[in-house]
Short mmCIF file of all heavy atoms in Angstrom, two decimals:
data_model
loop_
_atom_site.label_atom_id
_atom_site.label_comp_id
_atom_site.label_asym_id
_atom_site.label_seq_id
_atom_site.Cartn_x
_atom_site.Cartn_y
_atom_site.Cartn_z
N CYS A 65 17.37 -5.49 -21.08
CA CYS A 65 18.75 -6.05 -21.14
C CYS A 65 18.91 -7.31 -20.31
O CYS A 65 19.91 -8.02 -20.40
CB CYS A 65 19.80 -5.00 -20.72
SG CYS A 65 19.98 -3.65 -21.80
N LEU A 66 17.96 -7.57 -19.41
CA LEU A 66 18.11 -8.71 -18.52
C LEU A 66 18.11 -10.00 -19.22
O LEU A 66 18.97 -10.93 -18.89
CB LEU A 66 16.93 -8.62 -17.43
CG LEU A 66 16.97 -7.47 -16.49
CD1 LEU A 66 15.73 -7.54 -15.58
CD2 LEU A 66 18.26 -7.46 -15.64
N PRO A 67 17.24 -10.29 -20.18
CA PRO A 67 17.27 -11.61 -20.84
C PRO A 67 18.59 -11.80 -21.62
O PRO A 67 19.19 -12.91 -21.51
CB PRO A 67 16.03 -11.56 -21.80
CG PRO A 67 15.17 -10.61 -21.20
CD PRO A 67 16.03 -9.55 -20.63
N VAL A 68 19.03 -10.86 -22.41
CA VAL A 68 20.24 -11.06 -23.16
C VAL A 68 21.45 -11.15 -22.25
O VAL A 68 22.44 -11.86 -22.57
CB VAL A 68 20.44 -9.84 -24.17
CG1 VAL A 68 20.90 -8.56 -23.46
CG2 VAL A 68 21.39 -10.29 -25.29
N THR A 69 21.41 -10.47 -21.12
CA THR A 69 22.51 -10.65 -20.11
C THR A 69 22.60 -12.07 -19.64
O THR A 69 23.66 -12.61 -19.40
CB THR A 69 22.33 -9.67 -18.99
OG1 THR A 69 22.29 -8.35 -19.49
CG2 THR A 69 23.51 -9.75 -17.97
N TYR A 70 21.42 -12.65 -19.40
CA TYR A 70 21.39 -14.03 -18.91
C TYR A 70 22.05 -14.91 -19.96
O TYR A 70 22.87 -15.80 -19.62
CB TYR A 70 19.94 -14.45 -18.69
CG TYR A 70 19.79 -15.93 -18.53
CD1 TYR A 70 20.05 -16.64 -17.39
CD2 TYR A 70 19.32 -16.76 -19.56
CE1 TYR A 70 19.99 -18.01 -17.20
CE2 TYR A 70 19.17 -18.08 -19.50
CZ TYR A 70 19.50 -18.73 -18.22
OH TYR A 70 19.38 -20.07 -18.16
N PHE A 71 21.69 -14.82 -21.23
CA PHE A 71 22.21 -15.67 -22.25
C PHE A 71 23.70 -15.44 -22.42
O PHE A 71 24.49 -16.39 -22.73
CB PHE A 71 21.49 -15.47 -23.55
CG PHE A 71 20.04 -16.06 -23.58
CD1 PHE A 71 18.95 -15.20 -23.64
CD2 PHE A 71 19.86 -17.44 -23.51
CE1 PHE A 71 17.70 -15.79 -23.61
CE2 PHE A 71 18.58 -18.00 -23.53
CZ PHE A 71 17.53 -17.13 -23.58
N LEU A 72 24.14 -14.22 -22.32
CA LEU A 72 25.53 -13.87 -22.44
C LEU A 72 26.40 -14.53 -21.36
O LEU A 72 27.41 -15.12 -21.64
CB LEU A 72 25.72 -12.36 -22.45
CG LEU A 72 27.17 -11.89 -22.60
CD1 LEU A 72 27.74 -12.30 -23.92
CD2 LEU A 72 27.26 -10.31 -22.47
N ILE A 73 25.87 -14.37 -20.06
CA ILE A 73 26.61 -15.00 -19.01
C ILE A 73 26.61 -16.54 -19.10
O ILE A 73 27.60 -17.21 -18.84
CB ILE A 73 25.98 -14.57 -17.67
CG1 ILE A 73 26.14 -13.05 -17.42
CG2 ILE A 73 26.63 -15.31 -16.48
CD1 ILE A 73 25.44 -12.51 -16.20
N HIS A 74 25.44 -17.06 -19.49
CA HIS A 74 25.35 -18.51 -19.69
C HIS A 74 26.32 -19.03 -20.78
O HIS A 74 26.96 -20.08 -20.57
CB HIS A 74 23.94 -18.92 -20.04
CG HIS A 74 23.64 -20.39 -19.89
ND1 HIS A 74 23.95 -21.22 -20.89
CD2 HIS A 74 23.09 -21.15 -18.85
CE1 HIS A 74 23.62 -22.47 -20.54
NE2 HIS A 74 23.03 -22.38 -19.34
N ARG A 75 26.42 -18.25 -21.84
CA ARG A 75 27.29 -18.69 -22.96
C ARG A 75 28.74 -18.61 -22.57
O ARG A 75 29.57 -19.44 -22.97
CB ARG A 75 26.96 -17.85 -24.20
CG ARG A 75 27.71 -18.31 -25.39
CD ARG A 75 27.28 -17.60 -26.61
NE ARG A 75 27.89 -18.05 -27.84
CZ ARG A 75 27.51 -19.16 -28.57
NH1 ARG A 75 26.47 -19.78 -28.14
NH2 ARG A 75 28.14 -19.48 -29.63
N LEU A 76 29.11 -17.53 -21.92
CA LEU A 76 30.51 -17.31 -21.50
C LEU A 76 30.88 -18.09 -20.25
O LEU A 76 31.96 -17.99 -19.76
CB LEU A 76 30.76 -15.84 -21.25
CG LEU A 76 30.58 -14.93 -22.53
CD1 LEU A 76 30.80 -13.46 -22.07
CD2 LEU A 76 31.58 -15.33 -23.61
N LYS A 77 29.89 -18.82 -19.62
CA LYS A 77 30.11 -19.58 -18.42
C LYS A 77 30.58 -18.66 -17.32
O LYS A 77 31.44 -19.06 -16.49
CB LYS A 77 31.03 -20.69 -18.67
CG LYS A 77 30.62 -21.65 -19.81
CD LYS A 77 31.71 -22.55 -20.22
CE LYS A 77 31.32 -23.34 -21.47
NZ LYS A 77 32.42 -24.02 -22.10
N PHE A 78 30.12 -17.47 -17.32
CA PHE A 78 30.54 -16.54 -16.29
C PHE A 78 29.65 -16.70 -15.03
O PHE A 78 28.82 -15.85 -14.68
CB PHE A 78 30.48 -15.10 -16.77
CG PHE A 78 31.10 -14.07 -15.85
CD1 PHE A 78 32.43 -14.01 -15.70
CD2 PHE A 78 30.29 -13.08 -15.25
CE1 PHE A 78 33.02 -13.05 -14.85
CE2 PHE A 78 30.79 -12.18 -14.35
CZ PHE A 78 32.19 -12.13 -14.21
N SER A 79 29.77 -17.84 -14.38
CA SER A 79 29.00 -18.14 -13.22
C SER A 79 29.85 -18.94 -12.25
O SER A 79 30.55 -19.84 -12.57
CB SER A 79 27.74 -19.00 -13.70
OG SER A 79 27.09 -19.45 -12.50
N VAL A 80 29.70 -18.56 -10.97
CA VAL A 80 30.44 -19.22 -9.96
C VAL A 80 29.89 -20.64 -9.68
O VAL A 80 30.50 -21.44 -9.03
CB VAL A 80 30.41 -18.42 -8.62
CG1 VAL A 80 31.05 -17.12 -8.78
CG2 VAL A 80 28.94 -18.27 -8.15
N PHE A 81 28.69 -20.82 -10.20
CA PHE A 81 28.10 -22.18 -10.06
C PHE A 81 28.46 -23.15 -11.16
O PHE A 81 28.21 -24.36 -10.99
CB PHE A 81 26.53 -22.07 -9.99
CG PHE A 81 26.08 -21.13 -8.95
CD1 PHE A 81 25.50 -19.95 -9.30
CD2 PHE A 81 26.17 -21.42 -7.55
CE1 PHE A 81 25.09 -19.07 -8.32
CE2 PHE A 81 25.72 -20.55 -6.67
CZ PHE A 81 25.19 -19.34 -7.01
N ALA A 82 28.98 -22.65 -12.25
CA ALA A 82 29.26 -23.55 -13.40
C ALA A 82 30.49 -24.35 -13.09
O ALA A 82 31.60 -23.81 -12.86
CB ALA A 82 29.44 -22.74 -14.67
N THR A 83 30.28 -25.68 -13.07
CA THR A 83 31.48 -26.60 -12.79
C THR A 83 31.65 -27.66 -13.83
O THR A 83 32.65 -28.35 -13.83
CB THR A 83 31.29 -27.29 -11.39
OG1 THR A 83 30.02 -28.00 -11.46
CG2 THR A 83 31.24 -26.30 -10.25
#
Side-chain angles (χ1 to χ4, degrees):
C65 292
L66 294 177
V68 73
T69 304
Y70 166 79
F71 288 112
L72 180 62
I73 297 176
H74 192 280
R75 186 174 183 84
L76 297 176
K77 305 168 189 168
F78 189 69
S79 171
V80 295
F81 303 110
T83 59

